[in-house]
Amino acid sequence: MIPQELTRGYGFIGELGLDGSVRGVPGVLSCVYEAKQAGFDAVMVPMANLAEGGLVDGILVYGVETLTEAVRHFTGDGGQMAARTKWEPTEPVIGADFSDIRMQFMAKRAAEIAAAGMHNLLLTGPPGAGKTMLASRIPGIMPKMTFAESLELTKIYSVAGMLAEGGEMIRVRPFRAPHHTSTIPALAGGGRPPTPGEVTLATNGVLFLDELPEFRRGSIEVLRQPLEKKRIHISRLGGGVEYPAGFMLVAAMNPCPCGYYPDRNRCTCTPDMIRRYTSRISRPIMDRIDIHAWMPGIEVRSLTEGPDGESSAAIRARVERATLVQRKRFEGSPYRFNADVPGELTEHFFPMKTETGKLLREYAERTGCSARVFHRLVKVARTIADLGESREIETVHMTEAIGFRNEEADNVGV
Amino acid sequence: MSEYDYESALWFCSVVTDSKIRKRLLAAFGTPEGVRSADEDALVSEGGLKEDSASLLCSSKADNRIGGILRKLDQANARFLWHEDSRFPKCLLAIDDAPLGLFVQGTLPAQSLPAVAVIGTRQSSAYGESVARQLGRSLGDSGVVVVSGLAMGIDAAAHQGCLEANGTTVAVLGSGIGSSYPRENEMLYRRIVKDGCVISEYAPGIPAMKHHFPHRNRLIAGLCDGVAVVEAKNRSGTLITVDRALEQGKSVYAVPGRITDRNSDGCNHLIREGAMLITGPGEILADLASTYGLMVTDGCDGHRVLAGTESSECPIDSSKNSKKKKMALESEEKIVYAFLRLSPKHFDQLVWESGMTPRELAQILGSLERSGWIEKAAGGWYRCSE
């Protein structure tokens, strides 16, 4: 028997076996974090989860292998205390580098802007243009994760039971690429108890949807809430759960069913076929994609051997500078990136010069675009200005942002 | 106007669709009225119909099909014309397999007016569409009726251009009148009905069928004095219209294209075979004048120049050009503009050719687009404005 007052302030996490052993469980990091928030002084966790639990600062974490050990901890001496390591942001180590990509200037510039402001990105291009190649390199140019971001991500993976043995914190931004046959629960999360889906696992990183029109419509529409709120709510019998889902959406698609439009020498799709193909992605989803880049096919690129691309490190250096500007801007607010700001606050955070506003309003009137597109253009222009180290959103920044949209496309061939 | 029974003729053309059977029945019974009053036995013995088709024909008299069609025509403000009607286009009486009747929505242009068909592929390029539109505009401006098939691509652009010049345009459909095929051209359809007319051999409510189109093409050829092909692939439906036009002794004009463009294969082939090479409406107007002795209301002066070409012969142009020349361009904009053509170039190619950074180029392209010098053909693809 242990006197109750000895265990005051303690929390206990683990699975007790019939033989008295304490087995590892998923989600320890979140539990310990919550225990600390709830005012516990110490937590006892399974030895297998000790390193993971020990990541949380400000609370004592003990690891035990058996129930006997746990008892001995209070009566005599037993249980091991977690050794804490200091947080060091690391260089994201990603094998593939941007320098592998020749030409594709528009797409690379779009990727840089997207990474700097956490904007959603759509890549359109024929098969073989390098859409997947480019998308998979985007986490490598995104800013290094802060401790808070890393902790958030590690908690998610801990809940999902996907943390590697040893419970190292996740320091590299995720790149999740669910196949287009993925079910809605796989994307949004589900099951009992509800486990995080791809939208949550991609938090603070990239959710890559290749062949976007091939996804079932319901699967794509599921993205609407997380794209807007950066969280996803999963309703289940007996209550719902809410998971974070603050990812950058990178989607890729062919311009038409055969993939070669607008090259009329190769594409034989009728305008109607093209329209039907692109309309598989609803307008509300298109509106939520801030930046749209069109990648040309191999002919244009092979005109001549293009120059070697810039390295991921060089691009990331510019992105990091833009991130610092944003951090200052959003001090004391819940936002981290320009893209996080909700539509109704864009005016507050991103004041525009008169000429810039006039330019944008002219575009909006000409194309009849939605208010959502209007606000997203402001945010993208702000990110472009941040990359250009400009205090004001100049007309040139807005012009470039508008160049990444195609609300007025008349869609004819080349 | 020769007397004929409107309802019988309408019934006959709506119910009997096979042209051989039509001829046989008319030969046996003289008029649609005669066919309509014949009983089942007579249709079999004298008309040579099979028994089941004869009974079908008779039952169609009983049901109120004509009433339905009349109502649809009424709603669409359209009418049926039997070939003996004085308003029936004379030029269609002379052609092979001449239509017995036509459905017309809108106002048929005066038969004395010169008419030119501007036709081409549905999968057109931006360049092709702008040429078709300019041809349509210039011809319409000169008082020439522009005939086409209201398909997507070249056809739609030609109609559009003609309407822009307040000209008269005629669309010949492969489906029954009253419904636009393809649906995307609904707005265009309505404007054509307002300022010109839509013609079809098929009764209202009959959907577009694949085999209708080659058949329809003989009417397009028949209605015009010459056929201008803007863009066509080899082995395309456009070339069927050209064949019909040649059979009917009409002129054939073709817009030449680059040898690497599949969309110009048909045109280049036609030129090799003897079609007249055209670089603007001037050649068409001159040909109409010399071959047919037709008068056109406007001379060369009213015509326009294709951006970039300096042809002496009434070449195509747009009214924007003169305005554009007055505007000054920043020197960097001039550099970028110089790299652009009427056929679109991708952003990346322009980066490569101009040596500018993507950021600079995006800004210059944006401002050129805003001031109307250039336009986006599709996402990421830019070209000079017409």
Side-chain angles (χ1 to χ4, degrees):
Chain A
M1 280 293 272
I2 309 166
Q4 210 178 6
E5 58 268 22
L6 283 181
T7 61
R8 183 163 297 136
Y10 268 81
F12 301 88
I13 306 160
E15 183 184 324
L16 186 59
L18 286 173
D19 58 354
S21 62
V22 177
R23 295 185 198 143
V25 290
V28 165
L29 182 70
S30 312
C31 293
V32 175
Y33 187 79
E34 289 306 317
K36 180 196 138 189
Q37 299 297 88
F40 285 88
D41 306 317
V43 214
M44 196 165 274
V45 302
M47 190 60 84
N49 302 118
L50 181 60
E52 184 188 332
L55 290 169
V56 181
D57 217 358
I59 185 167
L60 291 168
V61 183
Y62 297 96
V64 292
E65 281 199 72
T66 61
L67 187 60
T68 328
E69 256 182 61
V71 175
R72 282 225 315 270
H73 172 78
F74 295 102
T75 56
D77 182 36
Q80 197 181 328
M81 205 178 112
R84 226 163 256 117
T85 45
K86 205 170 165 282
W87 168 255
E88 290 273 2
T90 45
E91 293 281 318
V93 189
I94 287 166
D97 198 274
F98 255 79
S99 57
D100 304 336
I101 305 170
R102 280 168 190 265
M103 306 293 278
Q104 297 300 4
F105 304 110
M106 184 182 206
K108 281 193 279 195
R109 172 75 177 155
E112 178 177 336
I113 298 166
M118 274 298 255
H119 297 288
N120 301 318
L121 174 65
L122 175 63
L123 303 168
T124 304
K131 301 184 290 275
T132 307
M133 187 175 171
L134 188 119
S136 65
R137 282 160 176 75
I138 291 177
I141 60 167
M142 289 164 83
K144 285 176 244 171
M145 275 201 286
T146 62
F147 177 73
E149 285 175 324
S150 190
L151 182 66
E152 182 181 25
L153 195 60
T154 311
K155 272 158 60 186
I156 290 168
Y157 278 71
S158 159
V159 168
M162 288 170 70
L163 225 44
E165 195 86 19
E168 263 287 295
M169 270 184 94
I170 298 178
R171 288 149 193 268
V172 178
R173 292 188 182 270
F175 178 79
R176 305 292 304 182
H179 190 251
H180 59 73
T181 53
S182 299
T183 59
I184 292 178
L187 285 171
R192 183 177 277 182
T195 49
E198 294 290 346
V199 295
T200 304
L201 295 174
T203 296
N204 296 330
V206 168
L207 179 69
F208 178 55
L209 302 183
D210 199 3
E211 307 282 1
L212 188 62
E214 303 296 335
F215 278 80
R216 262 164 296 173
R217 191 142 190 164
S219 319
I220 303 181
E221 294 303 311
V222 143
L223 298 175
R224 278 163 74 156
Q225 190 199 13
L227 282 177
E228 208 63 23
K229 301 231 155 64
K230 309 264 169 211
R231 303 190 69 78
I232 186 147
H233 186 88
I234 310 161
S235 307
R236 283 290 174 278
L237 205 65
V241 244
E242 206 175 65
Y243 284 124
F247 54 86
M248 177 204 288
L249 175 68
V250 179
M253 63 184 282
N254 291 336
C256 67
C258 83
Y260 293 104
Y261 180 83
D263 181 353
R264 279 307 194 185
N265 283 332
R266 296 178 77 181
C267 169
T268 52
C269 302
T270 62
D272 188 45
M273 281 161 76
I274 297 169
R275 195 170 2 256
R276 250 179 297 161
Y277 183 75
T278 49
S279 68
R280 283 193 221 167
I281 302 149
S282 69
R283 179 55 46 192
I285 291 290
M286 276 298 194
D287 280 0
R288 285 168 170 85
I289 297 178
D290 318 46
I291 300 175
H292 197 155
W294 293 267
M295 300 173 77
I298 206 92
E299 289 90 18
V300 177
R301 289 194 292 154
S302 63
L303 276 179
T304 169
E305 279 294 293
D308 274 353
E310 221 179 345
S311 73
S312 292
I315 301 172
R316 196 174 62 241
R318 289 195 295 270
V319 170
E320 292 278 11
R321 273 204 300 278
T323 313
L324 280 180
V325 179
Q326 293 173 69
R327 198 164 297 160
K328 249 177 138 178
R329 174 177 307 133
F330 297 127
E331 227 159 30
S333 83
Y335 312 118
R336 286 176 286 183
F337 295 97
N338 291 338
D340 296 344
V341 174
E344 62 271 19
L345 289 178
T346 44
E347 250 179 272
H348 170 74
F349 280 107
F350 314 123
M352 271 187 294
K353 292 173 91 172
T354 331
E355 312 93 274
T356 313
K358 186 164 159 264
L359 174 65
L360 176 57
R361 272 192 305 281
E362 272 169 16
Y363 177 79
E365 272 161 32
R366 196 169 71 243
T367 61
C369 70
S370 68
R372 187 171 283 120
V373 171
F374 187 95
H375 289 136
R376 284 184 185 257
L377 276 168
V378 178
K379 295 182 224 174
V380 174
R382 183 61 257 177
T383 305
I384 293 171
D386 287 343
L387 278 168
E389 296 174 43
S390 164
R391 283 174 56 91
E392 299 275 358
I393 307 177
E394 305 283 348
T395 51
V396 286
H397 303 133
M398 187 55 76
T399 303
E400 191 178 356
I402 287 172
F404 288 114
R405 296 215 65 96
N406 202 24
E407 251 73 33
E408 57 207 318
D410 55 353
N411 285 329
V412 286
V414 174
Chain B
M1 177 172 165
S2 44
E3 287 299 314
Y4 66 94
D5 180 18
Y6 182 73
E7 276 193 25
S8 296
L10 175 61
W11 167 82
F12 184 70
C13 281
S14 311
V15 176
V16 189
T17 49
D18 187 284
S19 64
K20 274 188 203 140
I21 295 178
R22 280 179 178 182
K23 270 182 207 151
R24 206 187 311 151
L25 288 174
L26 280 183
F29 300 101
T31 61
E33 213 177 343
V35 180
R36 203 179 178 199
S37 55
D39 63 8
E40 212 172 315
D41 293 339
L43 285 172
V44 175
S45 58
E46 293 173 48
L49 287 185
K50 289 195 188 117
E51 274 170 29
D52 48 344
S53 28
S55 74
L56 265 177
L57 203 55
C58 286
S59 66
S60 78
K61 285 187 276 188
D63 64 30
N64 195 21
R65 199 176 306 188
I66 289 306
I69 292 173
L70 279 171
R71 202 167 50 248
K72 276 184 193 159
L73 286 176
D74 210 39
Q75 278 166 2
N77 206 4
R79 85 163 266 130
F80 170 76
L81 291 179
W82 180 243
H83 65 280
E84 289 167 9
D85 196 300
S86 60
R87 288 164 293 182
F88 191 90
K90 298 266 175 312
C91 46
L92 290 181
L93 292 173
I95 67 174
D96 243 16
D97 193 12
L100 290 174
L102 282 180
F103 295 89
V104 181
Q105 189 177 6
T107 320
L108 272 170
Q111 304 200 10
S112 57
L113 286 176
V116 169
V118 178
I119 55 172
T121 179
R122 282 175 297 157
Q123 289 118 31
S124 51
S125 70
Y127 162 79
E129 284 188 19
S130 80
V131 169
R133 196 158 157 189
Q134 289 171 35
L135 271 179
R137 209 185 286 148
S138 306
L139 290 170
D141 207 29
S142 308
V144 177
V145 176
V146 174
V147 183
S148 200
L150 195 65
M152 304 289 291
I154 300 295
D155 286 14
H159 287 301
Q160 188 84 40
C162 183
L163 290 171
E164 280 166 17
N166 293 320
T168 307
T169 185
V170 175
V172 189
L173 305 187
S175 59
I177 56 162
S179 64
S180 151
Y181 176 86
R183 240 185 314 162
E184 285 77 5
N185 285 345
E186 185 71 43
M187 288 308 291
L188 186 57
Y189 185 106
R190 287 188 214 164
R191 289 190 53 203
I192 293 174
V193 169
K194 201 167 134 273
D195 293 340
C197 74
V198 173
I199 290 180
S200 173
E201 253 187 293
Y202 305 99
I206 293 186
M209 309 280 263
K210 247 190 177 145
H211 65 270
H212 286 173
F213 291 96
H215 206 55
R216 179 273 313 252
N217 289 348
R218 80 190 197 290
L219 299 186
I220 295 184
L223 281 168
C224 65
D225 302 298
V227 173
V229 184
V230 177
E231 269 190 331
K233 296 190 174 67
N234 267 334
R235 301 164 51 82
S236 78
T238 304
L239 300 187
I240 296 179
T241 313
V242 170
D243 283 344
R244 296 291 88 79
L246 289 172
E247 283 165 18
Q248 298 169 17
K250 308 286 171 73
S251 296
V252 175
Y253 318 106
V255 177
R258 294 185 297 199
I259 57 172
T260 51
D261 283 358
R262 298 283 80 82
N263 267 342
S264 290
D265 283 350
C267 294
N268 291 338
H269 168 80
L270 288 173
I271 292 167
R272 195 163 50 241
E273 301 280 302
M276 182 187 274
L277 183 154
I278 54 163
T279 56
E283 287 122 330
I284 298 179
L285 297 173
D287 181 63
L288 289 176
S290 67
T291 315
Y292 303 98
L294 292 168
M295 293 300 293
V296 283
T297 57
D298 211 338
C300 284
D301 302 336
H303 296 293
R304 303 145 179 201
V305 191
L306 254 180
T309 60
E310 297 297 339
S311 168
S312 53
E313 279 241 280
C314 305
I316 321 181
D317 180 27
S318 89
S319 50
K320 275 190 237 161
N321 253 359
S322 43
K323 237 185 286 165
K324 281 200 300 199
K325 291 204 176 84
K326 286 181 198 142
M327 283 173 40
L329 280 184
E330 302 279 332
S331 61
E332 278 178 325
E333 291 181 334
K334 268 186 203 148
I335 295 171
V336 172
Y337 188 72
F339 284 111
L340 282 155
R341 299 284 176 273
L342 265 181
S343 56
K345 277 189 184 177
H346 189 271
F347 185 88
D348 286 4
Q349 194 180 345
L350 292 166
V351 170
W352 180 239
E353 288 174 358
S354 68
M356 291 183 179
T357 67
R359 183 176 53 81
E360 290 164 342
L361 186 71
Q363 291 164 359
I364 293 167
L365 285 172
S367 89
L368 280 170
E369 192 189 353
R370 239 185 353 266
S371 46
W373 285 77
I374 66 168
E375 54 195 51
K376 236 189 232 174
W381 297 80
Y382 295 87
R383 61 168 176 153
C384 295
S385 296
E386 286 166 19

